[in-house]
Amino acid sequence: MSPNRIRNLAIGGLLLGGGIAVGLTLSSNLNLQSVSRAQETSLRGGSLESPFVGVASKVQPAVVSVEVKRRVNTGEATPYGDLFHRFFPEDSPRRRSIELPSSGSGFIIDKEGHILTNNHVVQGANDITIRLLDHRTFKAKLLGRDPFTDLAMVKIEGANLPVAELGNSDEMRVGDWAIAIGNPLGELEGSLTVGVVSAKGRAGLVIGDSPNEGPGYQDFIQTDAAINRGNSGGPLCNIKGQVIGINTAINPAGQGIGFAIPVNIALKLRDQLASGKPVTHGFLGVGPQELDETLAEGLGLKGGSGVVISAVTEGSPALKAGLEKGDVITEFDRQKITSVGQFRRIVADTPVGHRVPVVVVRDGRQQEMQVTLASRNDEEVKAAPEVSPSKDWLGLKVEGQQGVSRALRGRVAGGEEQPGVMVTAVDDGSPADQAGIQEGDLIQEVNGAAILTTADFSTAMKKARGAGKPIVMLLNRQGAAQYIAVKPKQ
């Protein structure tokens, strides 16, 4: 081998050795690792941590269990009614009552201890207990509730209370993350489930056993995040850990179909609920019906949208303004009407006493009317829990037929609408109860005076109260008319 070749090999070896040494030095200084080692460190370091961990740690402490006790008659549709019939057949179930527990969820919205939940969670409660995730328990006071939106507010007194941050439900988009937190089955506290916003603006839902049992104000967020019994009143959150809805209902016939009230609705009513006074909503007094193509053609309309008035309530703002059955409302307060759900929301959100323009089509002609909205006259809307179904001196509660469930109306003459007011509750042992008046009876006369509205009934009761003699009522019960005399307590 030539001296030059030997010299070149030696120089190459020195360069190779030096490169390896430099590489090892740099590797040591830069702390370089193999691919598998880097992946292991990444996993241990938490760079792949679930984004929902942060939501849970932020919101879960403010989510509470709402434990309720309510007193019910054993004659009501509960599992305990059959037991009393079996073991105490000689007793009338309408004379006995028991206290039943139930539970739901809620969340604390400020340091003062105000808690949002569903109305149906606390309605009729004799006792409300709040339990936090840290196991603290408090007795709660019911401040206000609103059956029309199915919202309620209770309050506890405590120190260092965790608070949930409220977001903006209007900003949510279909496909955004949706995280539900609550106490499913009343036992699994702080459970978190994940899904997406499936749809917005859901309305016309049948919640309960009849079409009229659910909230009248419907603008639900639909989600596939798992919601179960006991989740009612708990928060639906966005990926930032902000509350954007109040979990309210599920569709038991399907899977992954749950509904939440947008938090912006609760924000509008927050002060009213906290005040302890009845919540008010704008009231027009019409029965709206969807306008389909066939109906539009029959009414002589050429395209367009709106709702058809199928009924006008006696003494309502609509009647006073001149609205009639068969009118098609196309605009309300300068807003185009596209559906019954949207129409109801707009009316309910309009301040009581506000005068608004209403555009209707009647006999093919468009005209504008001015309507001054009144307050909804829901007998059910109260600021505090009822000890008994009624405060009436005879022990009964009545409502106009528009305000009661279809099932209750169906007890009268096969569902045909007849004049009168509906008995919706009778207090045990009251004069009305002793006289034999029952829930579902239609009162058509009081001491010979015709009863068409709740106002007529109130007027007749005022006149009868000072008479000092039995009050004669004409009732319609399942299509049969009968007189009943009610003897007031002395």
Side-chain angles (χ1 to χ4, degrees):
M1 184 179 292
S2 67
N4 288 337
R5 183 171 179 80
I6 294 172
R7 186 175 62 251
N8 290 338
L9 288 173
I11 293 171
L14 289 172
L15 291 174
L16 177 62
I20 293 173
V22 171
L24 290 172
T25 302
L26 289 174
S27 176
S28 175
N29 290 339
L30 295 177
N31 195 27
L32 298 180
Q33 301 174 5
S34 67
V35 173
S36 60
R37 177 65 176 167
Q39 288 176 340
E40 181 182 348
T41 302
S42 176
L43 289 172
R44 288 180 179 177
S47 62
L48 299 182
E49 183 179 80
S50 164
F52 309 114
V53 173
V55 176
S57 62
K58 180 178 180 179
V59 184
Q60 274 182 330
V63 180
V64 303
S65 174
V66 183
E67 298 173 353
V68 170
K69 293 180 181 179
R70 50 172 61 90
R71 187 163 294 280
V72 299
N73 294 325
T74 56
E76 295 179 13
T78 69
Y80 301 95
D82 290 338
L83 290 175
F84 273 91
H85 279 292
R86 185 180 305 169
F87 295 106
F88 303 100
E90 72 282 0
D91 290 348
S92 169
R94 298 180 67 244
R95 298 295 188 266
R96 305 181 68 92
S97 63
I98 57 175
E99 196 171 64
L100 294 181
S102 64
S103 64
S105 304
F107 53 97
I108 305 172
I109 62 173
D110 57 33
K111 289 293 185 180
E112 287 68 44
H114 291 94
I115 297 171
L116 276 175
T117 186
N118 285 138
N119 170 68
H120 75 260
V121 170
V122 297
Q123 181 177 2
N126 299 322
D127 180 85
I128 303 173
T129 300
I130 299 298
R131 187 172 67 251
L132 274 61
L133 192 64
D134 62 12
H135 305 300
R136 285 185 291 171
T137 60
F138 303 88
K139 288 297 182 182
K141 177 183 179 182
L142 176 57
L143 297 181
R145 63 183 190 86
D146 180 25
F148 192 58
T149 58
D150 198 18
L151 289 170
M153 182 177 288
V154 302
K155 189 176 186 300
I156 59 176
E157 301 291 340
N160 301 318
L161 296 174
V163 176
E165 180 184 353
L166 304 184
N168 185 348
S169 51
D170 290 342
E171 294 179 350
M172 296 300 291
R173 302 163 300 174
V174 173
D176 278 343
W177 287 113
I179 303 100
I181 304 178
N183 307 304
L185 309 181
E187 300 173 349
L188 309 176
E189 293 184 4
S191 293
L192 179 148
T193 56
V194 175
V196 298
V197 173
S198 305
K200 295 179 65 178
R202 291 299 195 202
L205 305 179
V206 177
I207 300 175
D209 296 329
S210 75
N212 290 329
E213 283 191 13
Y217 190 115
Q218 297 192 6
D219 186 21
F220 291 113
I221 297 171
Q222 181 183 331
T223 180
D224 64 345
I227 298 174
N228 294 280
R229 179 176 58 84
N231 273 112
S232 290
L236 186 71
C237 303
N238 60 20
I239 197 64
K240 299 177 183 178
Q242 300 169 325
V243 179
I244 49 89
I246 299 92
N247 299 319
T248 298
I250 59 172
N251 185 338
Q255 294 183 354
I257 304 177
F259 302 97
I261 301 168
V263 75
N264 286 13
I265 294 176
L267 289 173
K268 291 178 183 177
L269 300 177
R270 180 175 181 170
D271 292 341
Q272 287 196 66
L273 290 168
S275 71
K277 298 177 181 178
V279 175
T280 60
H281 296 280
F283 173 70
L284 181 61
V286 299
Q289 180 180 336
E290 297 288 0
L291 180 66
D292 58 27
E293 184 178 349
T294 303
L295 188 56
E297 182 181 355
L299 293 172
L301 298 175
K302 298 179 181 179
S305 59
V307 295
V308 184
I309 298 177
S310 58
V312 180
T313 305
E314 288 289 333
S316 67
L319 187 66
K320 294 175 182 177
L323 294 173
E324 300 176 357
K325 288 190 293 185
D327 286 348
V328 178
I329 300 178
T330 59
E331 288 186 21
F332 185 90
D333 200 12
R334 306 305 180 195
Q335 300 180 67
K336 290 189 177 298
I337 301 303
T338 59
S339 67
V340 168
Q342 177 231 18
F343 171 71
R344 284 176 170 159
R345 291 193 297 272
I346 293 174
V347 173
D349 286 340
T350 303
V352 174
H354 192 53
R355 185 175 176 84
V356 300
V358 180
V359 177
V360 303
V361 176
R362 179 184 299 170
D363 298 327
R365 297 180 179 179
Q366 181 174 293
Q367 53 185 297
E368 183 176 298
M369 301 177 177
Q370 298 293 321
V371 180
T372 302
L373 295 193
S375 175
R376 287 181 59 84
N377 187 27
D378 291 336
E379 294 279 339
E380 190 180 22
V381 179
K382 300 188 188 301
E386 308 93 319
V387 176
S388 61
S390 172
K391 299 296 185 182
D392 185 86
W393 59 295
L394 293 182
L396 78 163
K397 177 181 173 183
V398 301
E399 292 184 17
Q401 294 181 64
Q402 295 293 333
V404 300
S405 69
R406 181 177 299 176
L408 202 54
R409 290 202 307 272
R411 298 184 187 181
V412 181
E416 298 177 9
E417 185 164 341
Q418 301 202 19
V421 295
M422 186 74 71
V423 176
T424 57
V426 180
D427 293 349
D428 282 347
S430 66
D433 182 36
Q434 293 174 359
I437 294 178
Q438 300 177 8
E439 179 180 315
D441 286 346
L442 196 65
I443 301 177
Q444 299 181 313
E445 287 184 12
V446 174
N447 287 343
I451 304 299
L452 300 176
T453 67
T454 55
D456 293 339
F457 182 78
S458 296
T459 301
M461 287 293 98
K462 289 178 181 178
K463 291 181 179 179
R465 187 162 192 172
K469 61 180 182 180
I471 301 166
V472 179
M473 298 185 183
L474 177 63
L475 306 181
N476 182 311
R477 179 178 298 166
Q478 297 180 341
Q482 59 178 301
Y483 284 101
I484 285 184
V486 184
K487 187 175 181 180
K489 292 181 180 179
Q490 300 298 322

